[in-house]
Amino acid sequence: MSDLPKPEELLAADRQPPHTDWMDIPTDIRKGIACYAGNPKSLEYVGLPNPRKWSCFDEDWQLPENWQDIIHKGFKERLDKFRSFKVFMDVCVRCGACADKCHFFIGTGDPKNMPVVRAELLRSVYRNDFTTAGKILGKINGARPMGIDVLKEWWSYMYQCTECRRCSVYCPYGIDTAEITIMGRELLNLLGLNIDWIATPVANCYRTGNHLGIQPHAFKDMLDFFVEDIEELTGINTEPQYNKVGADILFITPSGDVFADPGTYTCMGYLMLFKFLKEKYGFDVTWSTYASEGGNFGFFTSHEMMKRLNSKMYAEAKRLGVKWILGGECGHMWRVINQYMDTMNGPADFLEEPVSPITGTKFESAKSTKMVHITEFTADLIKHGKLDLDPSRNDHLRVTYHDSCNPARGMGLFEEPRYVIENICNNFYEMPANTIREHTFCCGSGSGLNAGEDMELRMAGGMPRANAVKYVHEKHDVNMLSTICAVDRAALPDLMNYWVPGVDVTGVHEMVGNALILPGQTERPTDLRGEDLPGFAAEAEGDTEGDTEGDSNE
């Protein structure tokens, strides 16, 4: 991050309206805000067209000779197939209600990052190609022909959108600009125009079952490391079941929880929770080393790719003969499950309607998808008094909560994570009301933008989120930002270090693990990160000193 502009330089971005029409402003594809092109091997592996080595900084993008016809045909097919897309192309009156709601517009000041203008990038071509008024009146009607400059503009701004849907909350016509971005990316993919932070995870997931391309034995090895760490901290062996045929429940979490800090501590929390439930209630859950990814980067590529990657979880549930699926703290996995699953891969009638084997609660929201969010599950356990918790073990944390865009706006998961946090933590503070729940600001790195080469864009896009964290940091001395999304847990540490030093990032179930009292555990003077807990460390030292003194007297 050494080549990043300083925070005060990003804040000084020009936010004055342009003096010319937005169509006349040339697109500036530059380092710091652009991502690397998709690896041709990755595109080829999943059957995406036109795999080749190219760079967005090159003049020649090595497009097929008939690329304009490909775009036109693809546009028409999607207008015919998706009624919502056609409606969104027609009904916008350009009122501007969405303009200042986008974190990328707020952060960059670029007018083309206004959701209304980002949608106009596609609408202008739609009017030119598919409406009578556009064909006759041209630019007067907001129409323009598809050309190479327009294509490059599409590519630049479709990948300056995290598809967070905050803009849709404020649209009086209900236009979902994220859906327009999704369609724009699908059209770009028809020409082999993808970014590597999406294309390679998609290929990896299609090949090995997770975004990182980790083989089954390596996935197990990583969980074994966590088991060893937990045993060192608690004296308890939390080894999970793998690929167990006939288990009651299949657990699937994003691979970021298994391979990337601080998500790894959240994974340790899962293992501790499941061990507790097994010991006390006979909880029968299995992990899969094949469906080892809940996240779905296909969502950022095309509807078809999203469908492919989502299906693997259900294929594995069917193979293992489980009753239902429990899902970990992830973002886009849950938007895909709740908004697309039924029409893509479902309904999953071969599974049972999820019922907690411990409390008897029916999870009505999962009646069709047969997949329950881990915070719903844990909140239900806490409500029924089924967990032994000591919230004081999180007293070193002063916590706020970031509503991850996809579970929040995509499935309405607002209260369950908060209920869990309030029962495992004594110091919880909300950010301002217009920045949380359905109004939540994005991390600025979602939808495949969590790369290293576009760090300037990420820091600018994440500025509104960071500003709200800064408010509670200064007012309440908040030192921990909690969240239930693996991308957030990977992206927010950099954002906090840049804008709000002194605030760390955690998953909710890391704090559950801290607070959970395992049957038969040893003294635990540290949290899951191995950091001393005030008070608990002193007690442990006192016990040790007492034992030593007793030995001496003998």
Side-chain angles (χ1 to χ4, degrees):
M1 297 175 68
S2 59
D3 56 344
L4 267 177
K6 294 180 180 179
E8 54 268 27
E9 293 176 304
L10 282 188
L11 289 173
D14 182 12
R15 291 172 174 81
Q16 294 300 313
H19 298 293
T20 59
D21 188 280
W22 68 266
M23 288 190 190
D24 299 325
I25 302 173
T27 300
D28 182 19
I29 299 177
R30 60 181 179 83
K31 293 182 178 179
I33 65 169
C35 292
Y36 297 142
N39 187 315
K41 291 183 179 179
S42 299
L43 270 65
E44 188 173 8
Y45 191 87
V46 292
L48 289 173
N50 198 26
R52 80 279 185 209
K53 287 187 177 181
W54 68 284
S55 169
C56 64
F57 306 114
D58 293 341
E59 187 69 24
D60 181 7
W61 283 15
Q62 304 174 47
L63 302 172
E65 289 186 8
N66 64 333
W67 70 265
Q68 288 162 306
D69 293 334
I70 294 172
I71 291 289
H72 180 86
K73 181 181 178 182
F75 212 137
K76 185 178 186 307
E77 287 175 350
R78 283 153 183 80
L79 289 170
D80 293 340
K81 184 176 181 180
F82 300 104
R83 180 173 174 77
S84 61
F85 185 40
K86 177 70 164 61
V87 171
F88 294 160
M89 288 291 99
D90 286 329
V91 302
C92 178
V93 295
R94 288 172 278 187
C95 68
C98 65
D100 61 347
K101 308 307 186 294
C102 176
H103 48 283
F104 282 118
F105 173 62
I106 297 171
T108 66
D110 187 336
K112 292 182 186 178
N113 273 324
M114 294 180 185
V116 60
V117 181
R118 185 180 288 108
E120 285 293 304
L121 303 182
L122 267 68
R123 282 197 192 101
S124 57
V125 175
Y126 163 75
R127 294 189 189 103
N128 184 82
D129 288 10
F130 301 103
T131 70
T132 301
K135 291 176 180 178
I136 296 173
L137 299 175
K139 190 174 181 180
I140 297 174
N141 188 246
R144 61 177 179 171
M146 190 68 192
I148 188 63
D149 291 340
V150 174
L151 182 73
K152 291 184 177 182
E153 188 177 55
W154 278 17
W155 188 88
S156 179
Y157 289 97
M158 293 306 118
Y159 293 108
Q160 289 187 60
C161 172
T162 48
E163 302 176 9
C164 81
R165 302 175 71 237
R166 189 173 194 264
C167 53
S168 67
V169 173
Y170 300 91
C171 177
Y173 289 90
I175 296 171
D176 189 345
T177 304
E179 291 283 346
I180 297 174
T181 296
I182 290 169
M183 293 299 178
R185 289 189 181 186
E186 282 204 23
L187 294 174
L188 291 169
N189 270 280
L190 297 177
L191 304 178
L193 299 175
N194 205 324
I195 63 174
D196 196 49
W197 204 254
I198 295 176
T200 294
V202 162
N204 286 339
C205 197
Y206 192 58
R207 183 175 68 253
T208 68
N210 62 72
H211 292 153
L212 301 175
I214 302 300
Q215 300 291 337
H217 64 279
F219 181 84
K220 179 182 180 299
D221 287 347
M222 198 65 198
L223 288 181
D224 287 345
F225 286 133
F226 299 156
V227 169
E228 292 173 7
D229 289 343
I230 294 169
E231 187 165 10
E232 185 176 332
L233 292 171
T234 69
I236 303 297
N237 184 339
T238 58
E239 184 175 2
Q241 299 180 129
Y242 298 101
N243 306 321
K244 180 186 175 183
V245 176
D248 289 338
I249 297 166
L250 170 63
F251 179 67
I252 300 177
T253 198
S255 57
D257 282 351
V258 182
F259 294 97
D261 290 345
T264 52
Y265 304 111
T266 297
C267 193
M268 291 170 69
Y270 302 148
L271 291 166
M272 293 174 68
L273 176 65
F274 298 158
K275 176 65 175 181
F276 178 94
L277 297 177
K278 182 178 181 181
E279 289 295 309
K280 295 204 72 170
Y281 308 109
F283 186 63
D284 186 21
V285 63
T286 186
W287 299 57
S288 170
T289 59
Y290 300 100
S292 54
E293 178 66 71
N296 194 326
F297 271 49
F299 178 40
F300 313 133
T301 306
S302 70
H303 286 77
E304 177 58 33
M305 196 63 65
M306 183 195 334
K307 179 179 179 179
R308 281 198 221 177
L309 300 190
N310 184 69
S311 66
K312 73 183 185 304
M313 299 189 295
Y314 288 90
E316 184 68 346
K318 192 170 188 177
R319 183 183 76 87
L320 295 177
V322 299
K323 295 177 180 177
W324 50 276
I325 305 172
L326 182 65
E329 296 182 14
C330 186
H332 35 82
M333 167 172 73
W334 288 106
R335 184 164 167 207
V336 170
I337 291 295
N338 278 268
Q339 292 192 296
Y340 299 96
M341 164 65 189
D342 278 349
T343 54
M344 287 193 316
N345 305 108
D349 292 337
F350 61 91
L351 296 173
E352 297 179 10
E353 181 179 342
V355 176
S356 172
I358 298 165
T359 68
T361 297
K362 275 190 175 184
F363 295 100
E364 295 289 340
S365 61
K367 181 181 290 187
S368 176
T369 65
K370 312 300 192 296
M371 192 165 181
V372 176
H373 195 287
I374 186 74
T375 59
E376 294 179 278
F377 182 72
T378 302
D380 177 64
L381 293 170
I382 294 172
K383 182 178 180 180
H384 287 85
K386 299 299 184 181
L387 299 181
D388 297 333
L389 299 168
D390 181 358
S392 69
R393 292 185 58 81
N394 283 311
D395 278 355
H396 61 304
L397 306 179
R398 300 178 69 83
V399 181
T400 192
Y401 176 68
H402 163 64
D403 290 273
S404 302
C405 299
N406 287 311
R409 283 187 284 265
M411 63 184 295
L413 193 70
F414 302 128
E415 302 309 323
E416 291 86 343
R418 287 175 168 83
Y419 183 81
V420 173
I421 293 170
E422 288 168 351
N423 281 275
I424 59 174
C425 174
N426 292 319
N427 306 301
F428 176 60
Y429 306 92
E430 290 278 23
M431 287 180 274
N434 64 339
T435 71
I436 59 175
R437 291 184 168 86
E438 68 269 23
H439 302 284
T440 187
F441 276 112
C442 180
C443 68
S445 299
S447 79
L449 301 188
N450 186 22
E453 64 269 18
D454 64 335
M455 192 65 77
E456 180 183 335
L457 176 71
R458 290 171 51 193
M459 295 303 102
M463 184 267 286
R465 173 76 294 163
N467 194 47
V469 176
K470 185 177 181 181
Y471 174 82
V472 289
H473 175 60
E474 293 178 347
K475 184 173 182 178
H476 301 294
D477 198 26
V478 161
N479 60 11
M480 186 61 77
L481 175 60
S482 60
T483 183
I484 55 170
C485 172
V487 167
D488 285 332
R489 285 190 289 278
L492 287 170
D494 284 337
L495 190 72
M496 293 300 102
N497 288 336
Y498 185 79
W499 289 111
V500 200
V503 177
D504 211 337
V505 179
T506 182
V508 169
H509 276 78
E510 176 185 344
M511 295 189 294
V512 171
N514 283 341
L516 191 63
I517 308 301
L518 293 173
Q521 70 178 23
T522 57
E523 291 289 341
R524 291 174 56 191
T526 68
D527 62 12
L528 293 187
R529 302 188 184 195
E531 297 174 358
D532 289 340
L533 296 177
F536 290 90
E539 289 175 12
E541 289 173 6
D543 291 343
T544 303
E545 289 173 4
D547 292 342
T548 303
E549 186 176 342
D551 293 342
S552 177
N553 289 337
E554 288 178 6

